[in-house]
Amino acid sequence: MGGRRRGVPGSNEDFSFVSPVVKYLLFMFNFIFWIISLVMVSIGVYARMMKHAEAALACLSVDPAIMLMVVGVLMFIITFCGCVGSLRENICLLQTFCICLTVIFLLQLTAGILGFVFSDTARSKVTEMINNAIVHYRDDIDLQNLIDFGQMEFGCCGGVTYTDWSQNIYFNCKKDNPSRERCSVPFSCCIISKDKAVINTMCGQDMQDLEYHEAGNHIHTNGCIDKLVDWIHSNLFILGGVALGLAIPQLVGILLSQILINQIKDQIELQDYNLRHRSDPWT
């Protein structure tokens, strides 16, 4: 920002403290995320309309489609305030945008710290979610594909161990279970050789009836929770980079909006000064 120019009113009538670079940079910053928010809402609405199985949603704390729509709508409102506030040089809208970004950043920071401090509680919540997902494995093809992808990617089976699949009514080991998959596990638990051209999707049949060491010859017996924890520990730098990548745009938005707010306030003071001294006979 330039320095304050006081003195002859005619010399600063056309002077502005508001930098066009800051103004339009903040506008473009918000416009990009405004478009992203519209895409998120559209995807969320489409996913919600295409979702037919409601029972599968019980395994998740929040329906991903609804979460996407809520986050998209909030982002739309916040970035709309930033877009209009920067173009119209409206302090109220800019302050709303800045405060919202600051609150969101602090909430993310608090959630990260609490997740690190109360890691045992976070682990139990993840275990509960995975167990619920196992229960509803056959209820939704999207959920089924997600679980199969996770088990094949991490080389794991179940939450804590492969016998967790007995929680599912189709894989339950009870004697009165009429399912053909009784006491089995999904094929995504199987140890698949890369040289096999055709995958045996029945390779998990009756695996829960086998002892741990015997089942380990055919399927992954370790649970996905331990595998997930190990993956997080081995990729802390990557996760930290992702977290930083999410935080930087928020900090940039907060900084630009605060700079523009200060420039607008300086411009208002300059205009008030010119009005007060326009008819001053001593200037």
Side-chain angles (χ1 to χ4, degrees), residues 146-220:
L146 178 63
I147 294 175
D148 287 336
F149 172 79
Q151 292 192 145
M152 288 188 292
E153 186 70 18
F154 290 104
C156 58
C157 187
V160 178
T161 185
Y162 68 102
T163 54
D164 289 342
W165 280 103
S166 193
Q167 300 176 66
N168 186 280
I169 59 174
Y170 297 97
F171 300 102
N172 192 280
C173 286
K174 291 181 179 179
K175 298 296 183 180
D176 59 348
N177 185 6
S179 173
R180 292 184 179 181
E181 295 178 305
R182 176 188 170 277
C183 238
S184 301
V185 294
F187 79 95
S188 55
C189 291
C190 297
I191 300 174
I192 302 173
S193 301
K194 295 182 179 179
D195 57 345
K196 289 186 178 180
V198 179
I199 298 176
N200 178 18
T201 57
M202 299 299 293
C203 58
Q205 193 72 24
D206 300 325
M207 284 295 124
Q208 293 187 60
D209 279 333
L210 302 180
E211 295 295 333
Y212 184 88
H213 65 279
E214 189 177 356
N217 296 325
H218 307 281
I219 64 172
H220 300 287

Side-chain angles (χ1 to χ4, degrees), residues 38-263:
L38 287 178
V39 174
M40 291 175 62
V41 172
S42 301
I43 294 175
V45 171
Y46 175 78
R48 184 63 181 169
M49 291 176 63
M50 295 299 292
K51 181 68 67 175
H52 300 294
E54 295 294 330
L57 302 181
C59 68
L60 301 175
S61 300
V62 181
D63 180 1
I66 294 180
M67 183 184 298
L68 202 61
M69 287 189 289
V70 171
V71 173
V73 169
L74 289 177
M75 185 185 296
F76 177 88
I77 295 173
I78 294 172
T79 52
F80 181 79
C81 290
C83 284
V84 177
S86 58
L87 280 181
R88 302 295 298 174
E89 298 179 10
N90 187 300
I91 292 180
C92 181
L93 289 177
L94 287 173
Q95 286 179 335
T96 301
F97 169 75
C98 185
I99 291 172
C100 288
L101 275 190
T102 303
V103 171
I104 292 173
F105 176 77
L106 292 177
L107 288 176
Q108 291 175 341
L109 184 62
T110 302
I113 294 174
L114 291 177
F116 180 78
V117 174
F118 300 101
S119 57
D120 292 337
T121 303
R123 182 189 177 99
S124 64
K125 290 294 182 181
V126 172
T127 303
E128 181 181 347
M129 287 184 62
I130 292 178
N131 288 334
N132 286 334
I134 289 174
V135 171
H136 297 283
Y137 175 76
R138 291 296 191 198
D139 297 340
D140 181 20
I141 187 63
D142 295 329
L143 176 63
Q144 180 175 317
N145 291 335
L146 178 63
I147 294 175
D148 287 336
F149 172 79
Q151 292 192 145
M152 288 188 292
E153 186 70 18
F154 290 104
C156 58
C157 187
V160 178
T161 185
Y162 68 102
T163 54
D164 289 342
W165 280 103
S166 193
Q167 300 176 66
N168 186 280
I169 59 174
Y170 297 97
F171 300 102
N172 192 280
C173 286
K174 291 181 179 179
K175 298 296 183 180
D176 59 348
N177 185 6
S179 173
R180 292 184 179 181
E181 295 178 305
R182 176 188 170 277
C183 238
S184 301
V185 294
F187 79 95
S188 55
C189 291
C190 297
I191 300 174
I192 302 173
S193 301
K194 295 182 179 179
D195 57 345
K196 289 186 178 180
V198 179
I199 298 176
N200 178 18
T201 57
M202 299 299 293
C203 58
Q205 193 72 24
D206 300 325
M207 284 295 124
Q208 293 187 60
D209 279 333
L210 302 180
E211 295 295 333
Y212 184 88
H213 65 279
E214 189 177 356
N217 296 325
H218 307 281
I219 64 172
H220 300 287
T221 51
N222 292 326
C224 293
I225 296 175
D226 291 334
K227 290 284 187 176
L228 179 61
V229 171
D230 292 340
W231 182 86
I232 291 175
H233 288 164
S234 60
N235 293 275
L236 284 177
F237 286 107
I238 296 177
L239 295 175
V242 172
L244 185 62
L246 294 174
I248 287 178
Q250 298 176 23
L251 294 175
V252 169
I254 294 171
L255 178 63
L256 289 176
S257 60
Q258 196 58 51
I259 291 175
L260 187 57
I261 289 172
N262 292 333
Q263 290 179 347

Side-chain angles (χ1 to χ4, degrees), residues 2-6 12 15 17 262 265-267 269-270:
R4 296 180 182 276
R5 296 174 56 185
R6 303 295 188 191
N12 57 10
F15 176 77
F17 280 104
N262 292 333
K265 288 181 179 180
D266 288 341
Q267 183 64 22
E269 290 182 11
L270 179 61

